[in-house]
Amino acid sequence: MNNSLTILSSAGRNLHGFVDDIPQIFANDLKESESHEEEMNGKKIHTIFDPFSTSSVNISKDNAKKIAILESKCEELRAQVEYLTKEKENATEEIERLKDQIFSQSTYCTSLGAVLGNLTWRASRFPQIVDAWLSTFQNKIAEFLSIVNGTFDAFVDTYRSAFPPINNIEYQFVMGLLGIVTNISASPEGREFLITNSSGTEFVQKLIKLMPELPSTSGAVSLKRLMLMILYNVSMNKTGLRYLLESRVGDALSHCLENEASSDEMQLLCLRVLQSVTYDLEEPKYIHDLTTIIPIQRIETMVSAKRSDISSAAKQVVKHLRHSQQITK
């Protein structure tokens, strides 16, 4: 009985003590809870802001590196630009120097060609010299005709609208070349070689084609004179005559005869060529071509020319054409 009372008394005290301690327990738990929550919130805040802080620092470092790299590249490019600019200036100076050098060499070569061409032109006036060339140096003559062909073509292309003065070294050079061809074609062997060589026939073709295109100036007269003399020489060769007719030589002759600026000498040379071309002409096609391009009435007006040589040549041409027309009827 006493034991039971003791147990009950002890349990009662413990119960009262527990009841009394409940408010303090709740207060302590709340404080611990608040403290824990604050601690957790602090960790969260630190956890949230810490990556931003680290990321910002890393980005700044990366940007600094990129800027440094770009600045380095800019310096390299600036150095390259300065180097290339200097190289360009040096290249421009070198080009100008080479231009001057080429011009000087070209002038020298043209002057040398003009001198040698004129000397050879004068030497070729002697038939025995031309015969020696043709018998010994035919390959060289062929090369020479090729040079004449290209040089004459380039000269006419350059000065088509207006020829340079006669004392121009280029003009003298071309004159010398054509003068040599004129003297070569003056001999039977020479004109035969000229009209059977590919460069020679091409050159004759160019004479016919370019004659009407040359300017009607005093500077072109000397060159035209040589061109007509070559055509006249070629016409005295049977093969050459046919080649001239097939190449419509009448177009070139008509231009000289119709051009009011043509001198009496030029008209006489044209009539000489026409006289040679129409001599014993029997093929209807060629007769028709010539009389269509150069009407007989046009030649008849020249019969009354003041100069007797022009009048005589015109009479011969009219006679040849009338005779040829009668044959073809």
Side-chain angles (χ1 to χ4, degrees):
M1 183 69 175
N2 290 331
N3 290 335
S4 298
L5 290 172
T6 301
I7 293 170
L8 288 173
S9 176
S10 176
R13 288 194 301 272
N14 290 335
L15 180 60
H16 283 293
F18 175 75
V19 172
D20 291 336
D21 291 339
I22 285 175
Q24 185 64 36
I25 291 171
F26 277 109
N28 291 337
D29 288 344
L30 181 60
K31 186 181 293 185
E32 289 178 3
S33 176
E34 290 176 353
S35 175
H36 180 71
E37 185 175 356
E38 288 178 0
E39 184 179 351
M40 292 299 294
N41 288 339
K43 288 182 179 180
K44 288 180 180 179
I45 292 171
H46 179 73
T47 303
I48 292 172
F49 283 100
D50 186 62
F52 281 107
S53 177
T54 304
S55 177
S56 298
V57 172
N58 291 336
I59 290 173
S60 298
K61 290 181 179 179
D62 290 342
N63 288 339
K65 289 180 180 179
K66 290 179 180 179
I67 291 172
I69 292 172
L70 290 174
E71 288 178 347
S72 176
K73 288 184 177 180
C74 284
E75 288 299 324
E76 291 178 2
L77 291 174
R78 186 180 294 109
Q80 288 181 7
V81 169
E82 292 177 356
Y83 173 77
L84 292 175
T85 302
K86 185 64 177 177
E87 286 291 304
K88 179 184 176 182
E89 292 175 355
N90 293 337
T92 302
E93 292 176 0
E94 181 68 11
I95 289 172
E96 292 300 321
R97 187 186 68 80
L98 291 175
K99 281 183 179 179
D100 293 339
Q101 183 178 345
I102 291 172
F103 178 77
S104 298
Q105 291 177 349
S106 175
T107 303
Y108 171 77
C109 291
T110 306
S111 300
L112 180 62
V115 172
L116 294 178
N118 277 276
L119 289 174
T120 308
W121 180 11
R122 283 161 176 74
S124 64
R125 292 175 181 174
F126 299 97
Q128 60 270 28
I129 291 180
V130 175
D131 292 341
W133 289 350
L134 293 170
S135 61
T136 311
F137 305 107
Q138 284 198 5
N139 290 337
K140 295 300 179 182
I141 297 295
E143 292 178 11
F144 170 75
L145 291 176
S146 178
I147 293 172
V148 173
N149 198 13
T151 304
F152 179 70
D153 197 17
F155 179 80
V156 173
D157 282 344
T158 303
Y159 298 106
R160 189 183 300 271
S161 58
F163 270 24
I166 297 177
N167 59 355
N168 177 274
I169 57 173
E170 294 179 14
Y171 191 96
Q172 288 293 314
F173 180 45
V174 174
M175 284 284 292
L177 296 180
L178 264 66
I180 296 169
V181 176
T182 302
N183 290 339
I184 290 175
S185 63
S187 69
E189 296 80 5
R191 48 181 169 262
E192 177 68 24
F193 182 84
L194 178 65
I195 206 62
T196 55
N197 179 270
S198 59
S199 295
T201 53
E202 186 178 351
F203 176 63
V204 172
Q205 177 66 42
K206 283 182 180 177
L207 294 180
I208 298 172
K209 177 180 178 294
L210 296 176
M211 180 81 72
E213 300 179 12
L214 298 183
S216 300
T217 58
S218 58
V221 172
S222 298
L223 200 63
K224 285 183 177 180
R225 184 188 301 114
L226 290 175
M227 294 168 69
L228 288 170
M229 291 174 68
I230 294 172
L231 294 179
Y232 177 79
N233 290 341
V234 170
S235 70
M236 291 190 290
N237 177 277
K238 185 176 180 179
T239 305
L241 175 60
R242 179 172 291 276
Y243 186 79
L244 292 180
L245 291 170
E246 290 177 352
S247 301
R248 296 179 61 85
V249 68
D251 292 335
L253 301 177
S254 173
H255 173 75
C256 291
L257 294 173
E258 296 293 337
N259 190 352
E260 295 180 356
S262 295
S263 63
D264 289 344
E265 182 184 7
M266 293 297 296
Q267 291 196 347
L268 178 60
L269 285 172
C270 285
L271 287 172
R272 293 293 187 198
V273 177
L274 193 57
Q275 183 181 354
S276 177
V277 168
T278 56
Y279 181 75
D280 283 344
L281 185 62
E282 297 180 355
E283 294 191 34
K285 177 181 181 301
Y286 298 143
I287 296 171
H288 178 267
D289 287 345
L290 281 174
T291 54
T292 301
I293 298 170
I294 308 174
I296 296 179
Q297 293 78 8
R298 173 69 183 89
I299 307 299
E300 287 177 335
T301 61
M302 302 180 72
V303 173
S304 58
K306 294 180 180 180
R307 285 184 52 168
S308 59
D309 50 0
I310 293 178
S311 176
S312 177
K315 287 178 182 178
Q316 288 296 318
V317 173
V318 172
K319 179 181 177 181
H320 293 165
L321 290 175
R322 294 294 186 194
H323 177 70
S324 298
Q325 286 180 331
Q326 289 177 357
I327 293 176
T328 57
K329 286 182 179 179

